[in-house]
Amino acid sequence: MIGIFKQKTPANLLLLLVFGVLIKLPMFLSPHVVAKGGQDSVLFRAILDFIEPTGRSTPLIYPVLAFGLLFIQAAWLTRFMNTQRMTSRPGYLAGMAYLLITSLFPEWNYFSAPLMVNTILIFVLASLFKVYNQPDARGAIFNIGLAMGVASFLFFPALTFIFWILFALAVMRPFRLNEWLLCLLGASTPFYFYAIYLFINDQWSWQAIWPHFSVSMPAVQQSVWLAGSAFLLIVPFLAGGYFVQDSLRRMLIQVRKGWSLLLIYLLGAIFIPFVNSSDTFENWVMAAIPFAAFHACTYLYSSFRIFPVLLFWLSVAFVLAYQYYGPGW
């Protein structure tokens, strides 16, 4: 499988779809019905209200939507990695790694606000690379801020990623105060129009505009399965980080900066679950994108061919054991 996904052929997109369906088959056999959570923002609640009538009669719609998002994100991440030449060889390893990583935790396969935010984050990541050599990137920078503003209306803690975006602008472009202010203006635009809507409908309240915001330690229940998932997530990431560091000298400046952005992205995504924390793993799914990028480097650059093969099949075996012989999905 590693050798197949190393190749950049159109047929691999279909193979990626088949791989995703097989590795995530239990999500279709036992559909998870989504309920509104305390951290969900107004836009995601509206989406759930729209889906709910169909969901009551056909619960399968929730895993279908979740898988659709996961597959689109895997394909988009693959395209980003290939277009920006983040690795020395184009292929589908990043998409494969993303679908495999998200199978390590059942909650990462639920239709949720953080999963929808992942799509916006990939768009923001790709847009940040596009502004690197643009002499006039004001439109793109405003759209980046606007995208994060919309993301906060799906999942309010996602607004903290605005600090990552400002750091990314400082890395990718010379400092220009007007561009930073334009980005913040884009992020605040959805709040402005939502405030107008509330005012016109006589529903104005600061709580509706700015929900409760707190930082605390999430309550995570420990288990052997959780330890196994964490092990298979961290070990390929550390190996991929080593291979990226070893290849930095041969990379373009833009690509070097890109890997720095992915690392900061990962740190920000790990911080998100501490904002308005909960006892589920759904909020951690935003870390899957940078993890998949580093995992792809482990599968691509390892000089010991048996190492990535063992990692891949060990991960697949663990996922299948989790699904059919463990707690299940």
Side-chain angles (χ1 to χ4, degrees), residues 222-239:
Q222 305 295 324
S223 69
V224 175
W225 295 102
L226 174 60
S229 297
F231 175 81
L232 293 172
L233 192 66
I234 297 299
V235 170
F237 163 71
L238 294 177

Side-chain angles (χ1 to χ4, degrees), residues 130-153:
K130 291 179 181 178
V131 304
Y132 177 69
N133 284 324
Q134 285 188 17
D136 185 7
R138 288 175 295 180
I141 291 174
F142 178 84
N143 291 337
I144 290 171
L146 180 63
M148 287 314 305
V150 173
S152 68
F153 273 77

Side-chain angles (χ1 to χ4, degrees), residues 14-56:
L14 178 60
L15 183 61
L16 189 67
L17 176 62
V18 174
F19 171 75
V21 171
L22 293 178
I23 200 69
K24 299 178 182 295
L25 188 60
M27 70 185 291
F28 302 104
L29 300 178
S30 302
H32 172 77
V33 178
V34 181
K36 295 179 183 178
Q39 294 180 321
D40 299 335
S41 293
V42 60
L43 181 56
F44 187 70
R45 288 175 177 269
I47 293 173
L48 288 184
D49 289 338
F50 178 77
I51 298 173
E52 186 178 6
T54 305
R56 283 198 298 265

Side-chain angles (χ1 to χ4, degrees), residues 96-177:
M96 181 209 72
Y98 184 74
L99 293 178
L100 185 58
I101 286 172
T102 52
S103 301
L104 293 174
F105 299 92
E107 295 86 352
W108 288 9
N109 299 272
Y110 297 164
F111 180 69
S112 64
L115 183 61
M116 294 188 70
V117 170
N118 264 10
T119 307
I120 296 177
L121 289 175
I122 296 177
F123 164 77
V124 170
L125 181 64
S127 298
L128 286 170
F129 271 72
K130 291 179 181 178
V131 304
Y132 177 69
N133 284 324
Q134 285 188 17
D136 185 7
R138 288 175 295 180
I141 291 174
F142 178 84
N143 291 337
I144 290 171
L146 180 63
M148 287 314 305
V150 173
S152 68
F153 273 77
L154 291 168
F155 183 65
F156 183 70
L159 191 61
T160 57
F161 271 103
I162 196 67
F163 296 105
W164 168 66
I165 291 175
L166 294 177
F167 173 82
L169 290 176
V171 171
M172 303 300 285
R173 295 180 61 82
F175 174 74
R176 295 186 178 94
L177 181 60

Side-chain angles (χ1 to χ4, degrees), residues 194-213:
Y194 185 54
I196 293 177
Y197 167 80
L198 293 177
F199 182 78
I200 292 176
N201 289 274
D202 198 23
Q203 298 175 359
W204 170 263
S205 73
W206 281 109
Q207 183 64 28
I209 298 296
W210 192 266
H212 172 70
F213 188 94

Side-chain angles (χ1 to χ4, degrees), residues 162-273:
I162 196 67
F163 296 105
W164 168 66
I165 291 175
L166 294 177
F167 173 82
L169 290 176
V171 171
M172 303 300 285
R173 295 180 61 82
F175 174 74
R176 295 186 178 94
L177 181 60
N178 62 331
E179 292 183 350
W180 283 40
L181 293 177
L182 194 61
C183 180
L184 295 176
L185 178 63
S188 62
T189 298
F191 291 90
Y192 173 76
F193 285 105
Y194 185 54
I196 293 177
Y197 167 80
L198 293 177
F199 182 78
I200 292 176
N201 289 274
D202 198 23
Q203 298 175 359
W204 170 263
S205 73
W206 281 109
Q207 183 64 28
I209 298 296
W210 192 266
H212 172 70
F213 188 94
S214 64
V215 179
S216 58
M217 185 68 67
V220 177
Q221 186 175 2
Q222 305 295 324
S223 69
V224 175
W225 295 102
L226 174 60
S229 297
F231 175 81
L232 293 172
L233 192 66
I234 297 299
V235 170
F237 163 71
L238 294 177
Y242 168 79
F243 292 126
V244 169
Q245 182 67 30
D246 187 56
S247 305
L248 280 180
R249 297 179 182 177
R250 299 185 295 273
M251 294 179 180
L252 299 174
I253 296 177
Q254 179 181 355
V255 177
R256 295 180 195 174
K257 293 181 177 181
W259 282 109
S260 300
L261 294 189
L262 279 171
L263 187 58
I264 302 300
Y265 178 174
L266 177 60
L267 296 177
I270 291 176
F271 171 74
I272 287 290

